[in-house]
């Protein structure tokens, strides 16, 4: 897990990997398991003040993460040392896992919960045998899973930036953390805005929420704007007239070999691609996340 002390990268450079991670969670865990995490980690359960004993407090917060992820037979042993990264975990067979936190957390105790959330998620994904190839993509998967399953708001809240210094934990940008958190909020009916202690985290969340809502406004969804609907109609007409596959943004048209034109587009909730016949207004139900979508194909 990385910690940034220099300039913070902003925007959405990892968005496709983030979306793939959300899809992978639904595929590996199932809709029912994902929605069993309907309650996020509560701020009071991971509060860590300067007056708390360092090691006892870290163990308490680690146990809360284990409880949240339902890893009752996993024991986290937390230590501190000088290191380049924010934290690391030894992914052995268990049941004991050794987590090391950067010495900086001795004096930045309110961010210990964020670091532990990420490292305990590594254990959770390891036990699921769910991973992405390459360190970068696997860390993005871990950040995304931590956030989507209810503990990653702590990672976003650890983001602080002013004219003199900055801090950000994890591989995702602040806006990407906000995007995943907004995806969770829309799917679970949460309102995480009140949990932030960092003003910059709140701003990043609002930007991520706007990006998440744009996912719900892409054709062939009926919520698409005028410009998107006009472009979609033009691409659909071209596909019909020329009988060739046409890709327009996130959606694409293709024939099925029997003269029926079909459109493929991503589910705005889980990003699994959905393929349906082109035949006007219809309701489509995503088989992966069970979202019912109003479409005009």
């Amino acid at each position: 897990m990385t910690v940034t002390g220099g300039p913070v990268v902003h925007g959405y450079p990892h968005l496709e990997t983030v979306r793939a991670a959300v899809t992978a969670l639904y595929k590996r865990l199932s809709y029912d398991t994902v929605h069993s995490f309907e309650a996020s980690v509560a701020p009071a359960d991971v509060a860590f003040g300067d007056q708390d004993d360092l090691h006892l407090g870290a163990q308490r917060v680690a146990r809360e993460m284990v409880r949240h992820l339902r890893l009752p037979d996993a024991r986290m042993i937390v230590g501190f040392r000088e290191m380049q990264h924010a934290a690391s975990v030894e992914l052995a067979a268990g049941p004991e896992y050794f987590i090391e936190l950067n010495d900086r957390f001795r004096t930045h105790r309110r961010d210990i919960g964020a670091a532990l959330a990420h490292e305990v998620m590594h254990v959770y994904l390891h036990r699921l045998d769910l991973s992405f190839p390459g360190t970068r993509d696997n860390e993005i998967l871990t950040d995304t899973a931590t956030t989507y399953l209810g503990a990653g708001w702590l990672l976003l809240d650890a983001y602080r930036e002013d004219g003199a210094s900055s801090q950000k934990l994890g591989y995702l940008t602040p806006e990407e953390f906000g995007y995943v958190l907004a995806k969770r909020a829309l799917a679970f009916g949460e309102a995480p805005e009140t949990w932030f202690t960092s003003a910059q985290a709140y701003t990043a969340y609002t930007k991520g929420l706007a990006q998440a809502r744009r996912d719900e406004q892409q054709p062939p969804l009926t919520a698409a704007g005028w410009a998107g609907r006009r472009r979609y109609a033009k691409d659909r007409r071209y596909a019909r007239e020329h009988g060739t596959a046409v890709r327009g943004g996130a959606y694409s048209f293709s024939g099925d070999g029997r003269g029926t034109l079909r459109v493929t587009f991503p589910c705005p909730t889980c990003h699994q691609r959905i393929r349906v016949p082109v035949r006007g207004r219809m309701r489509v139900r995503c088989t992966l996340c069970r979202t019912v979508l109003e479409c005009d194909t």
Side-chain angles (χ1 to χ4, degrees):
M1 180 185 186
T2 63
V3 57
T4 300
V8 175
V9 175
H10 289 278
Y12 303 93
H14 314 112
L15 193 55
E16 290 309 309
T17 307
V18 167
R19 288 169 171 165
V22 174
T23 307
L25 277 179
Y26 274 97
K27 286 184 174 179
R28 183 65 181 86
L29 292 177
S30 80
Y31 168 88
D32 289 330
T33 302
V34 169
H35 277 259
S36 70
F37 291 94
E38 61 182 359
S40 289
V41 171
D45 292 336
V46 292
F48 200 141
D50 291 338
Q51 72 281 2
D52 294 336
D53 180 273
L54 178 65
H55 291 89
L56 291 178
Q59 291 295 151
R60 173 181 58 80
V61 175
R63 285 195 300 271
E64 176 59 27
M65 295 303 168
V66 167
R67 183 206 63 77
H68 178 73
L69 293 175
R70 304 184 193 97
L71 296 167
D73 58 339
R75 296 190 297 272
M76 306 296 156
I77 301 172
V78 183
F80 296 80
R81 71 174 177 87
E82 290 186 11
M83 55 196 300
Q84 179 182 359
H85 297 295
S88 65
V89 62
E90 181 182 317
L91 292 175
E96 291 186 340
Y97 297 88
F98 294 88
I99 296 176
E100 292 184 315
L101 301 181
N102 192 302
D103 263 342
R104 69 191 301 276
F105 288 111
R106 292 178 181 272
T107 54
H108 292 75
R109 297 185 183 186
R110 71 173 183 172
D111 297 326
I112 284 177
L116 289 174
H118 179 97
E119 299 308 322
V120 176
M121 180 56 72
H122 269 303
V123 174
Y124 183 79
L125 295 176
H126 176 69
R127 289 189 166 197
L128 284 177
D129 194 26
L130 176 58
S131 63
F132 279 180
T135 299
R136 169 189 168 275
D137 285 2
N138 202 52
E139 291 290 347
I140 291 170
L141 168 64
T142 305
D143 280 343
T144 302
T146 306
T147 306
Y148 204 83
L149 297 183
W153 67 268
L154 290 159
L155 285 160
L156 179 53
D157 197 38
Y159 161 56
R160 289 180 288 278
E161 189 171 15
D162 57 37
S165 63
S166 63
Q167 172 186 278
K168 185 187 73 69
L169 300 181
Y171 276 64
L172 299 185
T173 68
E175 292 78 15
E176 287 168 341
F177 271 121
Y179 173 79
V180 181
L181 187 59
K183 285 287 190 182
R184 173 184 167 81
L186 293 171
F188 290 75
E190 280 190 330
E193 299 93 327
T194 59
W195 302 337
F196 295 123
T197 62
S198 164
Q200 293 84 8
Y202 176 83
T203 299
Y205 172 71
T206 59
K207 291 180 178 179
L209 178 60
Q211 179 66 38
R213 291 199 181 281
R214 281 192 285 273
D215 290 349
E216 300 177 334
Q217 299 166 353
Q218 300 300 313
L221 302 176
T222 56
W226 177 83
R229 295 295 311 158
R230 186 178 183 208
R231 184 182 69 249
Y232 179 87
K234 179 181 178 182
D235 292 335
R236 179 180 57 198
R237 184 169 57 251
Y238 185 93
R240 277 179 171 153
E241 292 174 353
H242 294 81
T244 58
V246 175
R247 185 170 183 85
Y251 58 83
S252 61
F253 295 100
S254 62
D256 63 358
R258 299 188 298 272
T260 301
L261 187 66
R262 293 180 178 270
V263 62
T264 303
F265 62 96
C267 170
T269 299
C270 71
H271 301 288
Q272 174 177 250
R273 295 194 71 80
I274 299 169
R275 188 167 184 253
V276 296
V278 173
R279 60 182 186 211
R281 293 185 72 95
M282 65 173 71
R283 277 189 167 186
V284 178
R285 186 172 185 264
C286 177
T287 58
L288 186 59
C289 70
R290 304 182 186 176
T291 302
V292 176
L293 305 170
E294 298 287 345
C295 301
D296 187 355
T297 59

